[in-house]
Amino acid sequence: MFFQPPRDLETTVFARLPDEYRRAAPDNEWARYQPQGGPATSLLEGPSIDRDGTLWCVDLPNGRVYRITPDGTFHVAAEYDGWPNGLKFHEDGRIFIADYKHGIMEMDPVNGHVRPFLTRAGLAPFKGCNDLFFASNGDLYFTDQGLTGLHDPTGRLFRLTAAGRLECLLSNVPSPNGLVMNLSESMVYLAVTRGNCVWRVPLSPDGGVAKVGVYVQLSGGWGGPDGLTLDVDGRLFIAHVGMGAVWVVDAMGEPVYRIRTCAEAHTTNVAFGGADGRTLYITESGSGSILAARLDRPGRPMFSHAERNGAVRPGGKGA
């Protein structure tokens, strides 16, 4: 063995999706084309914390966005004809959604109105957007996964600059999924689900990428790495679908913790929250639960919680 076994951390159930919300028929359009074995009636994903500390998440097959109060109660903030897969807040309070059906959507958190923001790369539709991440300068990175895998390694990583320029950084990924940048924002960590690994994607001075490689190689489970997040020390948190775990590696890639599910094994995504920022929320889609674990360090502050920096949206004004 190269490393010492990671230390175990336990979880508790913070909230569970009410049964009346888990009503999508197993033969709905999204579920019908997915590999067998995954959740079909609901699929919690995209946990994110707003500036008030409230937890939000999405439910992919049901086309819903939920707001979860501190007592663990789910409230439907939006329901629309789409497949929301990832969610992040802009610094001005808007919600951005990586929608598997439509592309990148924009949501008003006050009235719940969801509208298209970016639905094509040029004239071509996306394969199926999965997750997204805002850099500190307002650039939006997002993955275009679709049904790609080792049989079809054509998934893509995009960057939409704050000035509105869309750039394809990678087009050879076997199932790109969650993503997060390192502390210095000199590279992107990219979950490659069907490769069961996390890639490191260094950014070149000219804005492109070079010398992309495997950062963490996982094994087992029946899915692979999904959502990613970072803490203030640069440790990477990896939700491993089918393993029922969140792996934590330090900034050198050495294992630190294995956070074990107390529910089922469909650990899809992660986000830091709580009053001190040291509570890790984990979406566990098999049971429709949000799990919680306490960490020794807080999560890295997100773009949504930073001071306004004048980022400009495509066709819009400074935030």
Side-chain angles (χ1 to χ4, degrees):
M1 294 180 62
F2 288 107
F3 306 114
Q4 293 294 323
R7 176 184 168 193
D8 270 7
L9 291 182
E10 301 300 324
T11 56
T12 59
V13 175
F14 166 68
R16 185 180 183 279
L17 187 66
D19 288 340
E20 59 265 30
Y21 290 157
R22 307 184 72 191
R23 59 173 172 76
D27 64 346
N28 78 19
E29 187 180 4
W30 181 86
R32 187 164 64 247
Y33 291 100
Q34 301 305 306
Q36 296 182 5
T41 57
S42 68
L43 200 160
L44 298 185
E45 257 276 18
S48 193
I49 309 293
D50 67 18
R51 288 186 74 121
D52 296 326
T54 301
L55 175 64
W56 299 63
C57 72
V58 299
D59 184 350
L60 194 157
N62 291 301
R64 295 199 203 102
V65 177
Y66 298 117
R67 177 175 52 84
I68 302 108
T69 53
D71 64 356
T73 302
F74 281 79
H75 299 271
V76 178
E79 186 168 1
Y80 70 102
D81 178 23
W83 298 328
N85 209 158
L87 184 152
K88 289 292 187 298
F89 283 88
H90 192 274
E91 63 171 358
D92 63 13
R94 288 177 295 158
I95 293 173
F96 282 76
I97 299 168
D99 186 290
Y100 194 97
K101 187 175 186 178
H102 300 298
I104 304 299
M105 309 292 282
E106 179 185 347
M107 174 181 163
D108 186 325
V110 177
N111 60 27
H113 179 64
V114 179
R115 63 180 182 178
F117 182 81
L118 181 68
T119 59
R120 296 177 181 273
L123 294 177
F126 295 114
K127 295 173 180 287
C129 293
N130 187 295
D131 209 349
L132 64 173
F133 177 83
F134 279 107
S136 60
N137 66 355
D139 287 352
L140 176 63
Y141 293 78
F142 64 94
T143 52
D144 185 28
Q145 179 190 50
L147 295 177
T148 64
L150 293 176
H151 68 297
D152 175 24
T154 60
R156 298 179 290 183
L157 171 66
F158 283 98
R159 175 173 57 210
L160 179 67
T161 70
R165 185 176 64 256
L166 183 64
E167 302 166 337
C168 183
L169 301 178
L170 292 174
S171 59
N172 64 328
V173 192
S175 194
N177 201 318
L179 68 167
V180 70
M181 301 186 84
N182 65 341
L183 292 179
S184 66
E185 298 193 348
S186 61
M187 72 175 67
V188 176
Y189 294 122
L190 177 64
V192 180
T193 302
R194 306 308 163 195
N196 221 353
C197 59
V198 177
W199 286 6
R200 58 189 297 275
V201 184
L203 301 177
S204 302
D206 63 1
V209 300
K211 298 186 177 180
V212 177
V214 174
Y215 181 65
V216 176
Q217 181 66 61
L218 302 175
S219 63
W222 44 260
D226 194 329
L228 304 177
T229 195
L230 217 66
D231 72 8
V232 294
D233 289 337
R235 298 185 302 189
L236 180 66
F237 291 69
I238 308 165
H240 193 171
V241 174
M243 186 60 77
V246 175
W247 302 102
V248 185
V249 299
D250 65 20
M252 298 297 291
E254 184 169 350
V256 179
Y257 295 119
R258 175 179 181 169
I259 304 173
R260 294 181 180 269
T261 177
C262 62
E264 297 183 29
H266 207 89
T267 41
T268 58
N269 216 323
V270 285
F272 275 100
D276 59 1
R278 295 196 297 118
T279 299
L280 184 74
Y281 293 106
I282 306 163
T283 47
E284 196 290 293
S285 293
S287 64
S289 300
I290 306 238
L291 311 182
R294 290 290 292 166
L295 273 298
D296 54 346
R297 298 288 284 160
R300 171 198 185 182
M302 300 295 286
F303 173 71
S304 55
H305 293 66
E307 294 301 319
R308 299 193 174 203
N309 60 16
V312 179
R313 57 164 291 185
K317 299 179 179 179

Short mmCIF file of all heavy atoms in Angstrom, two decimals, residues 120-177:
data_model
loop_
_atom_site.label_atom_id
_atom_site.label_comp_id
_atom_site.label_asym_id
_atom_site.label_seq_id
_atom_site.Cartn_x
_atom_site.Cartn_y
_atom_site.Cartn_z
N ARG A 120 -26.97 26.03 -26.24
CA ARG A 120 -26.21 25.43 -27.33
C ARG A 120 -24.76 25.88 -27.29
O ARG A 120 -24.44 26.93 -26.74
CB ARG A 120 -26.80 25.84 -28.68
CG ARG A 120 -28.22 25.34 -28.93
CD ARG A 120 -28.75 25.84 -30.27
NE ARG A 120 -30.12 25.39 -30.50
CZ ARG A 120 -30.44 24.24 -31.06
NH1 ARG A 120 -29.50 23.43 -31.47
NH2 ARG A 120 -31.70 23.91 -31.24
N ALA A 121 -23.91 25.05 -27.88
CA ALA A 121 -22.53 25.44 -28.14
C ALA A 121 -22.46 25.79 -29.63
O ALA A 121 -22.39 24.90 -30.47
CB ALA A 121 -21.58 24.30 -27.81
N GLY A 122 -22.54 27.07 -29.94
CA GLY A 122 -22.70 27.48 -31.33
C GLY A 122 -24.10 27.09 -31.77
O GLY A 122 -25.10 27.46 -31.15
N LEU A 123 -24.21 26.28 -32.82
CA LEU A 123 -25.52 25.83 -33.30
C LEU A 123 -25.87 24.44 -32.78
O LEU A 123 -27.00 23.98 -32.98
CB LEU A 123 -25.54 25.82 -34.83
CG LEU A 123 -25.43 27.18 -35.52
CD1 LEU A 123 -25.39 27.00 -37.03
CD2 LEU A 123 -26.59 28.09 -35.11
N ALA A 124 -24.92 23.76 -32.14
CA ALA A 124 -25.15 22.38 -31.72
C ALA A 124 -25.65 22.32 -30.28
O ALA A 124 -25.10 22.98 -29.39
CB ALA A 124 -23.86 21.58 -31.85
N PRO A 125 -26.67 21.51 -30.02
CA PRO A 125 -27.14 21.35 -28.63
C PRO A 125 -26.12 20.59 -27.80
O PRO A 125 -25.26 19.88 -28.33
CB PRO A 125 -28.43 20.54 -28.80
CG PRO A 125 -28.26 19.82 -30.08
CD PRO A 125 -27.46 20.73 -30.97
N PHE A 126 -26.21 20.76 -26.49
CA PHE A 126 -25.32 20.02 -25.59
C PHE A 126 -25.74 18.55 -25.54
O PHE A 126 -26.89 18.20 -25.82
CB PHE A 126 -25.36 20.63 -24.20
CG PHE A 126 -24.80 22.03 -24.13
CD1 PHE A 126 -25.63 23.11 -23.82
CD2 PHE A 126 -23.47 22.28 -24.38
CE1 PHE A 126 -25.12 24.40 -23.76
CE2 PHE A 126 -22.95 23.57 -24.33
CZ PHE A 126 -23.78 24.63 -24.02
N LYS A 127 -24.82 17.70 -25.11
CA LYS A 127 -25.11 16.27 -24.94
C LYS A 127 -25.99 16.04 -23.72
O LYS A 127 -26.83 15.15 -23.70
CB LYS A 127 -23.80 15.49 -24.75
CG LYS A 127 -22.87 15.49 -25.95
CD LYS A 127 -21.54 14.83 -25.60
CE LYS A 127 -20.59 14.81 -26.78
NZ LYS A 127 -20.99 13.82 -27.80
N GLY A 128 -25.77 16.83 -22.67
CA GLY A 128 -26.48 16.69 -21.41
C GLY A 128 -25.63 17.27 -20.29
O GLY A 128 -24.70 16.61 -19.79
N CYS A 129 -25.90 18.52 -19.92
CA CYS A 129 -25.07 19.20 -18.92
C CYS A 129 -25.27 18.57 -17.54
O CYS A 129 -26.38 18.16 -17.18
CB CYS A 129 -25.39 20.69 -18.89
SG CYS A 129 -24.92 21.55 -20.41
N ASN A 130 -24.19 18.53 -16.76
CA ASN A 130 -24.23 17.80 -15.50
C ASN A 130 -23.98 18.68 -14.28
O ASN A 130 -24.76 18.68 -13.34
CB ASN A 130 -23.23 16.66 -15.53
CG ASN A 130 -23.33 15.75 -14.33
OD1 ASN A 130 -23.06 16.17 -13.21
ND2 ASN A 130 -23.72 14.50 -14.54
N ASP A 131 -22.87 19.42 -14.25
CA ASP A 131 -22.53 20.20 -13.06
C ASP A 131 -21.81 21.47 -13.49
O ASP A 131 -21.39 21.61 -14.65
CB ASP A 131 -21.67 19.37 -12.12
CG ASP A 131 -21.85 19.78 -10.66
OD1 ASP A 131 -22.48 20.84 -10.40
OD2 ASP A 131 -21.38 19.05 -9.77
N LEU A 132 -21.65 22.40 -12.54
CA LEU A 132 -21.08 23.70 -12.86
C LEU A 132 -20.35 24.29 -11.66
O LEU A 132 -20.59 23.89 -10.53
CB LEU A 132 -22.15 24.64 -13.38
CG LEU A 132 -23.31 25.08 -12.48
CD1 LEU A 132 -24.14 26.14 -13.17
CD2 LEU A 132 -24.21 23.94 -12.05
N PHE A 133 -19.46 25.26 -11.95
CA PHE A 133 -18.64 25.87 -10.92
C PHE A 133 -18.26 27.27 -11.36
O PHE A 133 -17.84 27.47 -12.50
CB PHE A 133 -17.37 25.04 -10.67
CG PHE A 133 -16.43 25.65 -9.66
CD1 PHE A 133 -16.64 25.48 -8.31
CD2 PHE A 133 -15.35 26.42 -10.07
CE1 PHE A 133 -15.78 26.05 -7.38
CE2 PHE A 133 -14.49 27.00 -9.15
CZ PHE A 133 -14.71 26.81 -7.80
N PHE A 134 -18.40 28.24 -10.46
CA PHE A 134 -17.99 29.62 -10.73
C PHE A 134 -16.59 29.86 -10.18
O PHE A 134 -16.31 29.63 -9.00
CB PHE A 134 -18.93 30.62 -10.07
CG PHE A 134 -20.20 30.87 -10.83
CD1 PHE A 134 -21.40 30.35 -10.38
CD2 PHE A 134 -20.19 31.63 -11.99
CE1 PHE A 134 -22.58 30.58 -11.08
CE2 PHE A 134 -21.36 31.87 -12.70
CZ PHE A 134 -22.56 31.34 -12.24
N ALA A 135 -15.68 30.34 -11.04
CA ALA A 135 -14.38 30.82 -10.59
C ALA A 135 -14.56 32.18 -9.91
O ALA A 135 -15.60 32.83 -10.03
CB ALA A 135 -13.42 30.93 -11.78
N SER A 136 -13.53 32.63 -9.20
CA SER A 136 -13.63 33.88 -8.46
C SER A 136 -13.78 35.09 -9.37
O SER A 136 -14.25 36.14 -8.93
CB SER A 136 -12.41 34.05 -7.55
OG SER A 136 -11.22 34.08 -8.32
N ASN A 137 -13.40 34.97 -10.64
CA ASN A 137 -13.55 36.09 -11.58
C ASN A 137 -14.88 36.07 -12.32
O ASN A 137 -15.11 36.88 -13.21
CB ASN A 137 -12.39 36.10 -12.59
CG ASN A 137 -12.42 34.88 -13.52
OD1 ASN A 137 -13.24 33.97 -13.35
ND2 ASN A 137 -11.51 34.86 -14.48
N GLY A 138 -15.75 35.13 -11.97
CA GLY A 138 -17.07 35.06 -12.60
C GLY A 138 -17.16 34.11 -13.78
O GLY A 138 -18.25 33.90 -14.31
N ASP A 139 -16.03 33.53 -14.21
CA ASP A 139 -16.09 32.54 -15.27
C ASP A 139 -16.87 31.32 -14.79
O ASP A 139 -16.69 30.86 -13.65
CB ASP A 139 -14.68 32.10 -15.68
CG ASP A 139 -13.92 33.17 -16.46
OD1 ASP A 139 -14.53 34.19 -16.82
OD2 ASP A 139 -12.71 32.96 -16.72
N LEU A 140 -17.69 30.78 -15.67
CA LEU A 140 -18.51 29.62 -15.35
C LEU A 140 -17.95 28.39 -16.07
O LEU A 140 -17.89 28.37 -17.30
CB LEU A 140 -19.96 29.86 -15.76
CG LEU A 140 -20.93 28.69 -15.58
CD1 LEU A 140 -21.06 28.31 -14.11
CD2 LEU A 140 -22.30 29.04 -16.16
N TYR A 141 -17.54 27.40 -15.31
CA TYR A 141 -17.10 26.12 -15.87
C TYR A 141 -18.24 25.12 -15.72
O TYR A 141 -18.89 25.06 -14.67
CB TYR A 141 -15.86 25.60 -15.12
CG TYR A 141 -14.62 26.43 -15.32
CD1 TYR A 141 -14.43 27.63 -14.64
CD2 TYR A 141 -13.61 26.00 -16.19
CE1 TYR A 141 -13.28 28.39 -14.82
CE2 TYR A 141 -12.45 26.74 -16.38
CZ TYR A 141 -12.30 27.94 -15.69
OH TYR A 141 -11.15 28.69 -15.88
N PHE A 142 -18.48 24.31 -16.74
CA PHE A 142 -19.53 23.30 -16.63
C PHE A 142 -19.21 22.09 -17.49
O PHE A 142 -18.44 22.16 -18.46
CB PHE A 142 -20.90 23.88 -16.99
CG PHE A 142 -21.07 24.35 -18.40
CD1 PHE A 142 -21.61 23.51 -19.38
CD2 PHE A 142 -20.73 25.65 -18.77
CE1 PHE A 142 -21.78 23.95 -20.68
CE2 PHE A 142 -20.90 26.10 -20.07
CZ PHE A 142 -21.42 25.25 -21.03
N THR A 143 -19.78 20.95 -17.10
CA THR A 143 -19.55 19.69 -17.80
C THR A 143 -20.74 19.34 -18.67
O THR A 143 -21.89 19.62 -18.34
CB THR A 143 -19.29 18.54 -16.81
OG1 THR A 143 -20.33 18.49 -15.83
CG2 THR A 143 -17.95 18.73 -16.11
N ASP A 144 -20.42 18.71 -19.80
CA ASP A 144 -21.43 18.25 -20.77
C ASP A 144 -21.24 16.74 -20.91
O ASP A 144 -20.43 16.28 -21.71
CB ASP A 144 -21.23 18.98 -22.10
CG ASP A 144 -22.30 18.66 -23.12
OD1 ASP A 144 -23.43 18.33 -22.72
OD2 ASP A 144 -22.01 18.73 -24.33
N GLN A 145 -21.99 16.00 -20.13
CA GLN A 145 -21.75 14.57 -19.96
C GLN A 145 -22.54 13.69 -20.93
O GLN A 145 -21.98 12.82 -21.59
CB GLN A 145 -22.11 14.17 -18.52
CG GLN A 145 -21.94 12.71 -18.20
CD GLN A 145 -22.52 12.36 -16.85
OE1 GLN A 145 -23.66 12.70 -16.55
NE2 GLN A 145 -21.73 11.69 -16.03
N GLY A 146 -23.85 13.92 -21.00
CA GLY A 146 -24.69 13.04 -21.80
C GLY A 146 -24.53 11.59 -21.38
O GLY A 146 -24.37 11.29 -20.19
N LEU A 147 -24.55 10.67 -22.32
CA LEU A 147 -24.40 9.24 -22.05
C LEU A 147 -23.00 8.75 -22.40
O LEU A 147 -22.80 7.57 -22.70
CB LEU A 147 -25.45 8.44 -22.82
CG LEU A 147 -26.90 8.70 -22.40
CD1 LEU A 147 -27.86 7.91 -23.29
CD2 LEU A 147 -27.13 8.34 -20.94
N THR A 148 -22.02 9.65 -22.34
CA THR A 148 -20.65 9.27 -22.68
C THR A 148 -20.06 8.34 -21.63
O THR A 148 -20.53 8.24 -20.50
CB THR A 148 -19.76 10.51 -22.84
OG1 THR A 148 -19.68 11.19 -21.57
CG2 THR A 148 -20.31 11.46 -23.88
N GLY A 149 -19.02 7.64 -22.02
CA GLY A 149 -18.33 6.72 -21.13
C GLY A 149 -17.10 6.17 -21.83
O GLY A 149 -16.65 6.71 -22.86
N LEU A 150 -16.57 5.08 -21.32
CA LEU A 150 -15.40 4.48 -21.96
C LEU A 150 -15.70 4.02 -23.38
O LEU A 150 -14.80 3.96 -24.22
CB LEU A 150 -14.89 3.31 -21.12
CG LEU A 150 -14.31 3.67 -19.75
CD1 LEU A 150 -13.94 2.41 -18.98
CD2 LEU A 150 -13.10 4.57 -19.88
N HIS A 151 -16.97 3.73 -23.65
CA HIS A 151 -17.37 3.33 -25.00
C HIS A 151 -17.47 4.52 -25.95
O HIS A 151 -17.48 4.37 -27.16
CB HIS A 151 -18.74 2.62 -24.95
CG HIS A 151 -19.86 3.54 -24.58
ND1 HIS A 151 -19.93 4.19 -23.36
CD2 HIS A 151 -20.94 3.97 -25.29
CE1 HIS A 151 -21.01 4.95 -23.32
NE2 HIS A 151 -21.64 4.83 -24.47
N ASP A 152 -17.55 5.71 -25.39
CA ASP A 152 -17.75 6.93 -26.18
C ASP A 152 -17.14 8.10 -25.42
O ASP A 152 -17.86 8.89 -24.80
CB ASP A 152 -19.26 7.15 -26.43
CG ASP A 152 -19.55 8.47 -27.15
OD1 ASP A 152 -18.65 8.97 -27.86
OD2 ASP A 152 -20.67 9.00 -26.99
N PRO A 153 -15.82 8.24 -25.43
CA PRO A 153 -15.15 9.27 -24.62
C PRO A 153 -15.20 10.65 -25.29
O PRO A 153 -14.17 11.21 -25.68
CB PRO A 153 -13.72 8.74 -24.51
CG PRO A 153 -13.51 7.98 -25.77
CD PRO A 153 -14.84 7.37 -26.12
N THR A 154 -16.41 11.19 -25.40
CA THR A 154 -16.58 12.49 -26.07
C THR A 154 -17.26 13.53 -25.18
O THR A 154 -17.78 14.53 -25.67
CB THR A 154 -17.39 12.32 -27.36
OG1 THR A 154 -18.69 11.77 -27.04
CG2 THR A 154 -16.68 11.41 -28.35
N GLY A 155 -17.28 13.29 -23.87
CA GLY A 155 -17.82 14.29 -22.97
C GLY A 155 -16.95 15.54 -22.96
O GLY A 155 -15.76 15.49 -23.27
N ARG A 156 -17.57 16.67 -22.59
CA ARG A 156 -16.86 17.95 -22.75
C ARG A 156 -16.83 18.77 -21.45
O ARG A 156 -17.72 18.67 -20.61
CB ARG A 156 -17.53 18.77 -23.86
CG ARG A 156 -17.46 18.09 -25.22
CD ARG A 156 -18.13 18.89 -26.31
NE ARG A 156 -19.58 18.92 -26.17
CZ ARG A 156 -20.40 19.52 -27.03
NH1 ARG A 156 -19.90 20.15 -28.08
NH2 ARG A 156 -21.71 19.49 -26.85
N LEU A 157 -15.79 19.56 -21.34
CA LEU A 157 -15.66 20.57 -20.29
C LEU A 157 -15.65 21.93 -20.96
O LEU A 157 -14.84 22.19 -21.85
CB LEU A 157 -14.36 20.36 -19.50
CG LEU A 157 -13.97 21.47 -18.52
CD1 LEU A 157 -14.98 21.58 -17.38
CD2 LEU A 157 -12.56 21.23 -17.96
N PHE A 158 -16.57 22.80 -20.53
CA PHE A 158 -16.70 24.13 -21.11
C PHE A 158 -16.36 25.21 -20.07
O PHE A 158 -16.49 25.00 -18.86
CB PHE A 158 -18.13 24.38 -21.59
CG PHE A 158 -18.48 23.72 -22.89
CD1 PHE A 158 -19.16 22.51 -22.91
CD2 PHE A 158 -18.15 24.32 -24.10
CE1 PHE A 158 -19.50 21.91 -24.11
CE2 PHE A 158 -18.49 23.72 -25.30
CZ PHE A 158 -19.17 22.51 -25.30
N ARG A 159 -15.97 26.35 -20.60
CA ARG A 159 -15.85 27.57 -19.79
C ARG A 159 -16.61 28.68 -20.49
O ARG A 159 -16.39 28.95 -21.69
CB ARG A 159 -14.39 27.96 -19.63
CG ARG A 159 -14.20 29.32 -18.89
CD ARG A 159 -12.73 29.60 -18.60
NE ARG A 159 -11.94 29.60 -19.82
CZ ARG A 159 -10.66 29.25 -19.87
NH1 ARG A 159 -10.01 28.88 -18.78
NH2 ARG A 159 -10.00 29.27 -21.01
N LEU A 160 -17.52 29.33 -19.77
CA LEU A 160 -18.19 30.53 -20.25
C LEU A 160 -17.60 31.70 -19.49
O LEU A 160 -17.79 31.83 -18.28
CB LEU A 160 -19.70 30.45 -20.01
CG LEU A 160 -20.51 31.66 -20.45
CD1 LEU A 160 -20.50 31.81 -21.97
CD2 LEU A 160 -21.95 31.57 -19.93
N THR A 161 -16.83 32.53 -20.17
CA THR A 161 -16.16 33.62 -19.47
C THR A 161 -17.18 34.65 -19.00
O THR A 161 -18.30 34.72 -19.50
CB THR A 161 -15.13 34.31 -20.38
OG1 THR A 161 -15.82 35.03 -21.42
CG2 THR A 161 -14.17 33.30 -20.99
N ALA A 162 -16.76 35.46 -18.02
CA ALA A 162 -17.65 36.51 -17.52
C ALA A 162 -18.01 37.50 -18.60
O ALA A 162 -19.05 38.18 -18.51
CB ALA A 162 -16.98 37.23 -16.34
N ALA A 163 -17.19 37.57 -19.66
CA ALA A 163 -17.48 38.46 -20.79
C ALA A 163 -18.43 37.82 -21.80
O ALA A 163 -18.83 38.46 -22.76
CB ALA A 163 -16.18 38.85 -21.48
N GLY A 164 -18.76 36.53 -21.59
CA GLY A 164 -19.74 35.88 -22.46
C GLY A 164 -19.17 35.01 -23.57
O GLY A 164 -19.91 34.59 -24.45
N ARG A 165 -17.87 34.70 -23.54
CA ARG A 165 -17.26 33.87 -24.57
C ARG A 165 -17.28 32.41 -24.13
O ARG A 165 -16.79 32.06 -23.05
CB ARG A 165 -15.82 34.31 -24.83
CG ARG A 165 -15.14 33.58 -25.98
CD ARG A 165 -13.75 34.12 -26.25
NE ARG A 165 -12.83 33.93 -25.15
CZ ARG A 165 -12.44 34.90 -24.30
NH1 ARG A 165 -12.91 36.13 -24.44
NH2 ARG A 165 -11.60 34.64 -23.31
N LEU A 166 -17.83 31.53 -24.97
CA LEU A 166 -17.91 30.11 -24.66
C LEU A 166 -16.70 29.39 -25.25
O LEU A 166 -16.41 29.52 -26.44
CB LEU A 166 -19.20 29.51 -25.22
CG LEU A 166 -19.43 28.02 -24.91
CD1 LEU A 166 -19.59 27.80 -23.40
CD2 LEU A 166 -20.64 27.50 -25.66
N GLU A 167 -16.00 28.61 -24.41
CA GLU A 167 -14.79 27.91 -24.82
C GLU A 167 -14.89 26.44 -24.42
O GLU A 167 -15.23 26.13 -23.27
CB GLU A 167 -13.55 28.53 -24.15
CG GLU A 167 -13.38 30.01 -24.45
CD GLU A 167 -12.38 30.69 -23.52
OE1 GLU A 167 -12.14 30.17 -22.40
OE2 GLU A 167 -11.84 31.74 -23.92
N CYS A 168 -14.61 25.54 -25.36
CA CYS A 168 -14.55 24.11 -25.06
C CYS A 168 -13.12 23.77 -24.68
O CYS A 168 -12.21 23.85 -25.51
CB CYS A 168 -15.02 23.30 -26.26
SG CYS A 168 -15.05 21.52 -25.94
N LEU A 169 -12.90 23.38 -23.43
CA LEU A 169 -11.56 23.09 -22.95
C LEU A 169 -11.16 21.64 -23.18
O LEU A 169 -9.99 21.34 -23.43
CB LEU A 169 -11.45 23.42 -21.45
CG LEU A 169 -11.75 24.88 -21.07
CD1 LEU A 169 -11.64 25.05 -19.56
CD2 LEU A 169 -10.80 25.83 -21.79
N LEU A 170 -12.11 20.72 -23.07
CA LEU A 170 -11.86 19.30 -23.31
C LEU A 170 -13.04 18.70 -24.06
O LEU A 170 -14.20 19.09 -23.81
CB LEU A 170 -11.67 18.53 -21.99
CG LEU A 170 -10.43 18.83 -21.14
CD1 LEU A 170 -10.52 18.09 -19.82
CD2 LEU A 170 -9.16 18.43 -21.88
N SER A 171 -12.77 17.75 -24.94
CA SER A 171 -13.86 17.09 -25.67
C SER A 171 -13.64 15.58 -25.76
O SER A 171 -14.21 14.93 -26.61
CB SER A 171 -13.96 17.67 -27.09
OG SER A 171 -12.73 17.49 -27.80
N ASN A 172 -12.82 15.04 -24.86
CA ASN A 172 -12.46 13.63 -24.92
C ASN A 172 -12.65 12.92 -23.58
O ASN A 172 -11.92 12.00 -23.24
CB ASN A 172 -11.00 13.47 -25.35
CG ASN A 172 -10.04 14.07 -24.33
OD1 ASN A 172 -10.36 15.05 -23.67
ND2 ASN A 172 -8.85 13.49 -24.20
N VAL A 173 -13.64 13.34 -22.81
CA VAL A 173 -13.78 12.85 -21.44
C VAL A 173 -14.84 11.73 -21.38
O VAL A 173 -15.96 11.93 -21.85
CB VAL A 173 -14.18 13.99 -20.48
CG1 VAL A 173 -14.04 13.53 -19.04
CG2 VAL A 173 -13.35 15.24 -20.73
N PRO A 174 -14.52 10.57 -20.82
CA PRO A 174 -15.50 9.50 -20.68
C PRO A 174 -16.40 9.72 -19.46
O PRO A 174 -16.20 9.15 -18.41
CB PRO A 174 -14.64 8.24 -20.53
CG PRO A 174 -13.37 8.72 -19.95
CD PRO A 174 -13.16 10.12 -20.45
N SER A 175 -17.37 10.61 -19.63
CA SER A 175 -18.38 10.92 -18.60
C SER A 175 -17.90 11.97 -17.61
O SER A 175 -17.70 11.70 -16.43
CB SER A 175 -18.81 9.65 -17.86
OG SER A 175 -19.97 9.88 -17.11
N PRO A 176 -17.72 13.23 -18.04
CA PRO A 176 -17.37 14.31 -17.12
C PRO A 176 -18.53 14.65 -16.21
O PRO A 176 -19.68 14.72 -16.66
CB PRO A 176 -17.04 15.47 -18.06
CG PRO A 176 -17.86 15.22 -19.28
CD PRO A 176 -17.91 13.72 -19.43
N ASN A 177 -18.26 14.89 -14.95
CA ASN A 177 -19.32 15.06 -13.96
C ASN A 177 -19.02 16.27 -13.08
O ASN A 177 -18.94 17.39 -13.56
CB ASN A 177 -19.45 13.75 -13.16
CG ASN A 177 -20.79 13.60 -12.49
OD1 ASN A 177 -21.32 14.53 -11.92
ND2 ASN A 177 -21.34 12.40 -12.54
#
